[in-house]
């Protein structure tokens, strides 16, 4: 009975509301009780239902009102076109390598190693200790925790030949990952409309950071052996550039490691032109057949600005890297960091330092080397067996990727889409070129999840390539 009365009240008031102006006041509860001859409980129930339907709103102490309806009109952002003007940097989308995909897919596109390759036990206990330490509450210095600065400096000092002055802890600035270090370097040492040399192909994140800083990117061809020193010299001389971003060890994507001779020559070219070499040692912990040998260790006069990241080898969630620069360049970079983010979370710095100073870290890196070798070799042999049109340009001696040349004429976009339809995610090589690619390539990462599926991956790729 009570239910029927409240439904009747709801229906009647809905008609009233539909003919009232938004914001109009409804009769008081007492008036509604009298009007419908119902109990206050029944009237309240009807009002609750109308509120639920979004038709009325009650304002405590004032009364109940017909709701002001806000019609959902599409927003007009047209004014932003005039306010923003033309972008300084060409728009570069977030890389396809950053896509997260479901476990049903075989994922060879991403850049970060699978969890089974991370030092999980060390990371968990380091985070627990860091959370209990004073670092959880203190503000660390702009340049980083002194102990972590000292660790980055001593790692590079260990590789420095006697007779050269090793870097000091004070030369290190701790970063929230090396990506933001790249942005700082291009802003602080290059600047808008100034030329900067980049290997081609090279890491897509460096291309977009340089573009975002407004720098003019000058590609220098680079292959399995790294760049030809004569091309580097020519590019410096033709453009007047004062900086060269490069990855002398296990380059992403080519896997190239510069020979000792080429490295020496390029360092000399840089010195002779009073320029900087921005050395990205992203794969320092991913040596397989050999170790990474930082070029920065050969430099005592501040020509090499050295980036060393821990995010890929410790944990993507412990986003910590270091940049080592000497002289005024160090101050320029540090000032840029202070303007950008002021300091890096002390908890993350403490945890990163904890992981890399545990005895278990060395053991972990030895296991990692074996795992990477097994994965790399499995992917190479799977491609040879099932995808003979996918040509691996030499086996990388470290790093996480195979750089694969495809036959001329392959439509990369279509191949990537077709492989995805078959459950395989691959990265189109085009993203790694600052200018036009010299041919169709893909990058295959062998450090992702489920290496047992590499043979299936190669079968899918091979089948699609032979279509
Ligand atoms: C060559 C290279 N440099 C830098 C980075 C960025 O690393 P981080 O995670 O330290 O920002 C990456 C990540 O893929 C990379 O491949």
């Amino acid at each position: 009975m009570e239910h029927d009365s409240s439904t009747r009240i709801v229906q009647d008031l809905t008609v009233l509301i539909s003919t009232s102006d938004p914001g109009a006041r409804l009769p008081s509860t007492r008036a509604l009780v009298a009007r419908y001859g119902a109990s206050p409980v029944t009237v309240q129930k009807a009002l609750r239902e109308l509120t639920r339907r979004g038709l009325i709103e009650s304002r405590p102490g004032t009364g109940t009102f017909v709701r002001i309806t806000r019609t959902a009109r599409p927003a007009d952002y047209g004014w932003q076109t005039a306010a923003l003007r033309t972008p300084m940097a060409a728009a570069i989308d977030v890389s396809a390598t950053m896509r997260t995909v479901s476990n049903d897919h075989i994922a060879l596109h991403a850049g970060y190693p699978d969890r089974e390759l991370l030092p999980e036990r060390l990371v968990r206990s380091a985070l627990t200790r860091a959370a209990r330490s004073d670092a959880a509450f203190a503000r660390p210095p702009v340049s980083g925790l002194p102990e972590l600065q000292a660790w980055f400096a001593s790692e590079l000092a260990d590789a420095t030949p006697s007779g050269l002055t090793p870097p000091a802890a004070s030369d290190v600035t701790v970063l929230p990952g090396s990506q933001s270090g790249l942005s700082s370097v291009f802003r602080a040492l290059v600047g808008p409309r100034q030329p900067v040399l980049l290997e081609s192909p090279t890491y897509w994140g460096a291309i977009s950071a340089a573009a975002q800083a407004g720098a003019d990117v000058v590609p220098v061809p680079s292959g399995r052996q790294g760049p030809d020193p004569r091309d580097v010299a020519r590019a410096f001389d033709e453009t007047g550039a004062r900086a060269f971003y490069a990855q002398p060890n296990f380059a992403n994507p080519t896997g190239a490691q510069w020979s000792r001779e080429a490295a020496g020559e390029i360092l000399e070219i840089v010195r002779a032109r009073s320029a900087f070499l921005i050395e990205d040692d992203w794969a320092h912990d991913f040596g397989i057949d050999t170790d990474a040998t930082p070029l920065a260790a050969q430099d005592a006069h501040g020509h090499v600005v050295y980036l060393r990241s821990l995010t890929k080898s410790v944990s993507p969630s412990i986003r910590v890297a270091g940049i080592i620069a000497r002289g005024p360049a160090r101050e320029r970079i540090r000032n840029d960091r202070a303007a950008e983010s002021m300091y890096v979370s002390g908890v993350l710095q403490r945890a990163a330092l904890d992981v890399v100073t545990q005895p278990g870290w060395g053991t972990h890196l030895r296991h990692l080397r074996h795992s990477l070798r097994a994965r790399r070799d499995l992917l190479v042999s799977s491609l040879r067996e099932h995808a003979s049109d996918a040509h691996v340009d030499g086996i990388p001696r470290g790093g996480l990727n195979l750089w694969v040349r495809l036959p001329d004429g392959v439509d990369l976009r279509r191949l990537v889409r077709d492989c995805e339809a078959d459950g395989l995610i691959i990265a189109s090589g085009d993203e790694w070129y600052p200018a036009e690619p010299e041919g169709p390539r893909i990058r295959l990462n062998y450090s992702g999840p489920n290496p047992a599926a590499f043979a299936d991956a190669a079968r899918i790729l091979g089948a699609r390539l032979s279509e």
Side-chain angles (χ1 to χ4, degrees), residues 160-182:
T160 304
S162 57
L164 288 185
T165 315
S170 56
D171 295 327
V172 177
T173 305
V174 177
L175 306 166
S178 56
Q179 182 64 36
S180 57
L182 287 173

Side-chain angles (χ1 to χ4, degrees), residues 2 35 53 65 75 101 111 157 183 188-189 206 226 315 335 343 356 410 421 427 431 436 449 462 465:
E2 187 196 277
R35 179 163 164 176
R53 293 185 192 178
F65 298 84
V101 295
S183 296
L189 305 188
S315 162
N335 292 343
Y343 60 87
V356 296
V410 166
E431 283 195 38
E436 290 79 11
L465 280 174

Side-chain angles (χ1 to χ4, degrees), residues 181-411:
L182 287 173
S183 296
S184 284
V185 169
F186 293 133
R187 277 194 301 256
L189 305 188
V190 181
R193 291 177 295 283
Q194 295 303 313
V196 59
L197 311 188
L198 262 62
E199 291 170 283
S200 176
T202 193
Y203 168 48
W204 57 262
I207 301 172
S208 67
Q212 202 67 38
D216 287 338
V217 168
V218 179
V220 176
S222 189
R224 276 296 306 141
Q225 314 300 324
D228 183 329
R230 286 168 303 185
D231 287 334
V232 177
R234 195 177 310 121
F236 268 119
D237 295 340
E238 281 175 6
T239 63
R242 288 302 182 90
F244 175 28
Y245 164 81
Q247 303 168 60
N249 289 282
F250 318 134
N252 172 10
T254 60
Q257 186 177 35
W258 300 0
S259 70
R260 186 190 279 268
E261 296 71 37
E265 272 183 62
I266 291 174
L267 192 51
E268 200 39 57
I269 289 166
V270 167
R271 271 195 204 120
R273 283 153 186 82
S274 300
F276 291 104
L277 178 75
I278 303 157
E279 177 179 13
D280 186 349
D281 198 13
W282 73 283
H284 189 85
D285 296 319
F286 303 135
I288 298 176
D289 303 325
T290 179
D291 290 323
T293 49
L295 205 55
Q298 309 297 324
D299 164 57
H301 298 287
H303 288 283
V304 182
V305 173
Y306 177 72
L307 279 152
R308 159 76 160 111
S309 177
L310 293 173
T311 54
K312 282 191 163 71
S313 52
V314 170
S315 162
S317 268
I318 300 193
R319 204 151 162 69
V320 169
I323 186 162
I324 303 186
R326 306 196 220 191
R330 179 188 70 184
E331 298 316 310
R332 290 259 181 125
I333 292 168
R334 201 163 281 171
N335 292 343
D336 184 273
R337 292 312 312 155
E340 162 84 24
S341 64
M342 294 205 285
Y343 60 87
V344 178
S345 153
V347 171
L348 295 185
Q349 294 192 61
R350 175 72 48 211
L353 179 65
D354 187 321
V355 170
V356 296
T357 51
Q358 293 294 326
W361 175 241
T363 318
H364 166 75
L365 290 180
R366 280 192 293 282
H367 288 146
L368 179 61
R369 186 185 287 263
H370 291 304
S371 305
L372 288 178
R373 178 178 291 123
R375 283 162 163 264
R376 178 199 63 183
D377 294 349
L378 179 59
L379 187 55
V380 170
S381 60
S382 302
L383 290 174
R384 283 192 180 140
E385 190 171 344
H386 304 293
S388 53
D389 284 336
H391 178 73
V392 180
D393 266 3
I395 314 293
R397 304 178 76 204
L400 308 175
N401 307 300
L402 296 184
W403 187 231
V404 179
R405 173 75 207 239
L406 303 178
D408 281 336
V410 166
D411 179 344

